[in-house]
Amino acid sequence: MSDKYTDAIEASKVITDDAAVTAAVNKILDDHIVENKNADVYKFLFNCIDLTTLKATDSPVSVSDFTERVNAFEEEHPELPNVAAICVYPNFAQVVRAVLEVSKVDIACVSGGFPASQTFPEVKVAETALAVDGGADEIDIVMNVGNFLDGDYEGVCDEIEELKAASRDCIFKVILETGALKTAANIKAASVLAMYSGADFLKTSTGKEFPGANLEAAYVMCQCIKEYFEKTGRKVGFKVSGGVSTTADAVAYYTLVKEILGEEWLSNEYFRIGASRLANNLLSDILGTETKFF
């Protein structure tokens, strides 16, 4: 049965043959990755990091200390750009807001029953609104993957739209959980639905229950973002997260974004990397000595 959701998915021309996607990724990296292995790219990538702590052991003290390291980085390395944001659970938004002294670093909060998106819709809305009230600049929610795999596209989109409204003026990122979606066809469909429901960013993964980001998923998502921009004129950002810990990993994703989406997406307004370990690895490569700042 045709409806506006399936019509939007079927209207997309993005390739969904998994073997073809892998071949396209390999060609881009073979042709272009070497040119991006340099200090300027590493500095740019550092400035795109959502520095993340999402642990059961997080506390007001530990999150405060985590935030103080970002403040200290500004003082100790004024020659380098800082991270893009600090990403925490929503109950810590107020802690980061109280401690953070760096004006160009945003506060991002996961919300909406992160990481499984398994709670009442009313709870997801309330959690999102409370995060915003606590000082969040950005909201990262997880698409309802179970409903998506059941084919309940209307339910998926209605919930995204409701959480977008609850996030008010925040940058609104929708996590597709690509490791659960598995196929290029599913990733394309989820990307299309999320963007048409108001996502400001598409994000790959939570990094929790399922495999994290992979280059094939990123390729499909970036192609969907490109197609959506060509159709609507609206630029949607791309965030890769879940297992991106080495400089080589980050450069590979940068290369895909640069070659598919172009220079316009090469700012932290439209490209982010959710990471905790990556920051120290990039710093080590930028400074030329092993560094464990964060």
Side-chain angles (χ1 to χ4, degrees), residues 2 7 18 21 26 72 74 84-85 114 121 140 185 203 227 231 233 248 283:
S2 178
D7 287 348
D18 291 304
V21 169
N26 290 339
E74 194 88 348
F114 180 94
D140 294 29
K203 178 178 171 181
E227 181 183 68
K231 288 181 178 181
L283 276 178

Side-chain angles (χ1 to χ4, degrees), residues 63-76 82-86 93-107 135 137:
V63 171
S64 177
D65 291 345
F66 188 75
T67 306
E68 287 285 18
R69 293 307 292 157
V70 174
N71 292 338
F73 183 83
E74 194 88 348
E75 297 171 9
E76 295 183 35
N82 214 319
V83 296
I86 296 172
Q94 287 180 302
V95 174
V96 181
R97 178 59 67 198
V99 176
L100 185 64
E101 297 171 355
V102 184
S103 61
K104 291 185 179 180
V105 176
D106 279 354
I107 300 169
D137 303 299

Side-chain angles (χ1 to χ4, degrees), residues 18 21-23 25-26 184 187 214-221 253 256:
D18 291 304
V21 169
T22 299
V25 168
N26 290 339
I187 292 166
N214 66 54
L215 293 162
E216 289 76 15
Y219 176 90
V220 174
M221 292 166 70
Y253 287 105
L256 288 184

